[in-house]
């Protein structure tokens, strides 16, 4: 028994030493872990600081487009994206977020960080969202940061080739003789705006068939499910050349040199519509002005490239490449036009 007690007394210091050693190792382990976390935090902070200080753009840029892939607006956005990617040596990705007249695309950009790496490709018709949709994500398009007014599309009146009309005058006569029998298709709010204006000037009553963009609309127009469309020249030009559609008039200020046989509506006695048809880049609210200016300058530069100019101008687009301030002024004008249009529409329905 005494031997056992003596062994216990002999082992006790060793156990205490062992416990002390374990405690010391635990402290060292905690210290190493704390040090490791501190290093990771420091490196992460340094990387963010370096990213913030790096010249824009130092990583991929996303352009959110509110129309389906393959339509004229999407085609123009992708052409611009490729040119900007080459100029910046950074990927510029186009992401289609369709629906609700552009509200879904706008909302996604409004929720993005205001660092210039997420941009909205907006159509002028999106200035009318607050007047047309109660659930619009903004009270005014001017809530976003204006960057560059890139281009403006020329619009044209397309009809199915089987419709028994060869020109605008015959279309007016046919429409008046067959009230509510013509179906006009629209892919955007802007197309509806010009269609409503021209039909009122023609004195023709027709039925409206809305689509989600020209890529869905064109097959039905060619197939005869709908009879006419007021849309971007670029959307239907190839089908006119192939004989599947007829182009009866353009909404251009005057007859285009590219389309010498197609009259402008002004020649036909149709009063001009205050229709803005631009496509522009916006950043989220709060984006630095220096970044907006830099993107605008890059857009203006790439629009000088013949490889960019050619396809767009061949489709009747007017290249703009504006400053942010000029785009802000265009937004104000478009907002006024849509406010007046919505007021007139309400009065007509009453």
């Amino acid at each position: 028994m005494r031997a056992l007690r003596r062994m216990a007394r002999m082992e006790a210091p060793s156990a205490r030493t062992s416990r002390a050693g374990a405690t010391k190792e635990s402290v060292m382990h905690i210290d190493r872990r704390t040090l490791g976390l501190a290093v990771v935090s420091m490196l992460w902070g340094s990387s963010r600081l370096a990213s913030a200080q790096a010249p824009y753009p130092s990583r991929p840029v996303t352009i959110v487009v509110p129309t389906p892939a393959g339509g004229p607006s999407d085609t123009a956005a992708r052409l611009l994206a490729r040119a900007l990617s080459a100029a910046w040596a950074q990927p510029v990705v186009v992401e289609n977020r369709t629906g609700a007249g552009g509200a879904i695309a706008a909302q996604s950009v409004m929720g993005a960080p205001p660092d210039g790496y997420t941009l909205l490709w907006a159509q002028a018709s999106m200035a009318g969202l607050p007047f047309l949709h109660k659930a619009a994500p903004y009270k005014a398009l001017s809530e976003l940061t204006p960057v560059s007014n890139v281009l403006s599309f020329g619009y044209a009146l397309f009809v199915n080739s089987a419709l028994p009309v060869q020109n605008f005058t015959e279309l007016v006569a046919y429409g008046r003789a067959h009230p509510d029998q013509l179906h006009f298709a629209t892919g955007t709010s802007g197309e509806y705006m010009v269609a409503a204006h021209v039909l009122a000037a023609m004195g023709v009553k027709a039925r409206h068939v809305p689509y989600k963009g020209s890529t869905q609309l064109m097959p039905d127009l060619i197939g005869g499910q709908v009879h006419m469309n007021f849309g971007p020249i670029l959307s239907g030009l190839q089908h006119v050349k192939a004989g599947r559609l007829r182009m009866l008039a353009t909404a251009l200020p005057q007859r285009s040199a590219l389309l010498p046989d197609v009259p402008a509506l002004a020649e036909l006695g149709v009063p001009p519509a205050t229709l803005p048809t631009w496509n522009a880049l916006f950043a989220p609210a709060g984006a630095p002005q220096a970044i907006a200016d830099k993107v605008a300058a890059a857009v203006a530069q790439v629009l000088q490239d013949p490889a960019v100019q050619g396809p767009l101008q061949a489709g009747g687009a007017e290249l703009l490449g504006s400053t942010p301030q000029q785009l802000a002024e265009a937004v104000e004008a478009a907002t006024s036009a849509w406010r007046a249009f919505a007021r007139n529409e309400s009065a007509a329905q009453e």
Side-chain angles (χ1 to χ4, degrees):
M1 195 69 174
R2 284 195 202 97
L4 290 174
R5 290 196 189 99
R6 198 172 356 209
M7 287 176 63
R9 283 196 297 269
M10 289 173 63
E11 290 177 359
S14 175
R16 286 195 296 270
T17 302
S18 177
R19 284 195 297 271
T23 303
K24 186 175 180 180
E25 286 182 9
S26 177
V27 170
M28 289 175 66
H29 176 70
I30 293 171
D31 287 346
R32 283 196 298 269
R33 183 181 178 188
T34 303
L35 179 61
L37 290 173
V39 170
V40 170
S41 178
M42 183 173 65
L43 291 174
W44 182 78
S46 299
S47 67
R48 281 183 61 85
L49 180 62
S51 177
Q53 293 175 342
Y56 174 90
S58 59
R59 54 188 173 86
V61 175
T62 298
I63 298 177
V64 180
V65 175
T67 57
S73 187
D74 170 79
T75 299
R78 291 179 185 276
L79 191 60
L80 179 72
R82 285 195 295 270
L84 288 175
S85 180
W88 288 335
Q90 289 288 345
V92 180
V93 181
V94 171
E95 180 180 317
N96 300 87
R97 286 182 172 265
T98 64
I104 294 174
Q107 197 161 24
S108 71
V109 173
M110 291 173 73
D115 53 11
Y117 287 94
T118 303
L119 302 173
L120 174 66
W121 178 265
Q123 298 173 308
S125 59
M126 290 170 65
L129 278 178
F131 308 109
L132 302 175
H133 301 284
K134 293 181 180 179
Y138 46 76
K139 294 182 179 178
L141 189 57
S142 57
E143 292 177 21
L144 285 89
T145 299
V147 175
S148 173
N149 196 350
V150 181
L151 55 85
S152 179
F153 280 119
Y155 273 40
L157 168 57
F158 300 101
V159 298
N160 176 270
S161 59
L163 198 66
V165 300
Q166 298 297 319
N167 54 52
F168 183 80
T169 302
E170 291 182 5
L171 176 65
V172 172
Y174 183 89
R176 289 176 178 173
H178 301 83
D180 288 323
Q181 292 186 30
L182 289 175
H183 294 79
F184 72 95
T186 64
T188 67
S189 298
E191 292 181 15
Y192 176 75
M193 186 188 203
V194 68
H197 170 80
V198 175
L199 288 169
M202 292 165 57
V204 171
K205 292 183 178 181
R207 296 183 182 276
H208 179 214
V209 184
Y211 287 81
K212 294 181 178 179
S214 62
T215 52
Q216 295 184 12
L217 178 159
M218 279 296 160
D220 280 3
L221 182 60
I222 292 168
Q225 285 82 3
V226 291
H227 304 107
M228 55 185 178
N229 164 248
F230 296 85
I233 293 172
L234 185 61
S235 66
L237 185 58
Q238 60 179 324
H239 303 301
V240 173
K241 292 179 177 179
R244 293 186 287 267
L245 297 176
R246 293 195 188 99
M247 189 188 303
L248 302 187
T250 72
L252 299 171
Q254 56 192 14
R255 191 175 295 225
S256 170
L258 295 172
L259 304 164
D261 298 328
V262 182
L265 288 171
E267 297 177 49
L268 301 169
V270 177
T274 54
L275 171 70
T277 59
W278 43 257
N279 288 245
L281 287 175
F282 291 81
Q289 188 60 47
I291 288 181
D293 291 338
K294 186 166 187 177
V295 176
V299 169
Q301 183 64 37
V302 300
L303 288 180
Q304 302 302 314
D305 185 350
V308 177
Q309 289 181 346
L312 294 174
Q313 291 177 334
E318 178 187 1
L319 307 186
L320 302 172
S322 80
T323 64
Q325 179 56 38
Q326 289 170 327
L327 174 55
E329 294 168 0
V331 170
E332 186 176 346
T335 302
S336 297
W338 272 104
R339 184 183 294 111
F341 177 78
R343 189 185 304 120
N344 293 338
E345 279 283 285
S346 296
Q349 291 175 5
E350 290 174 0

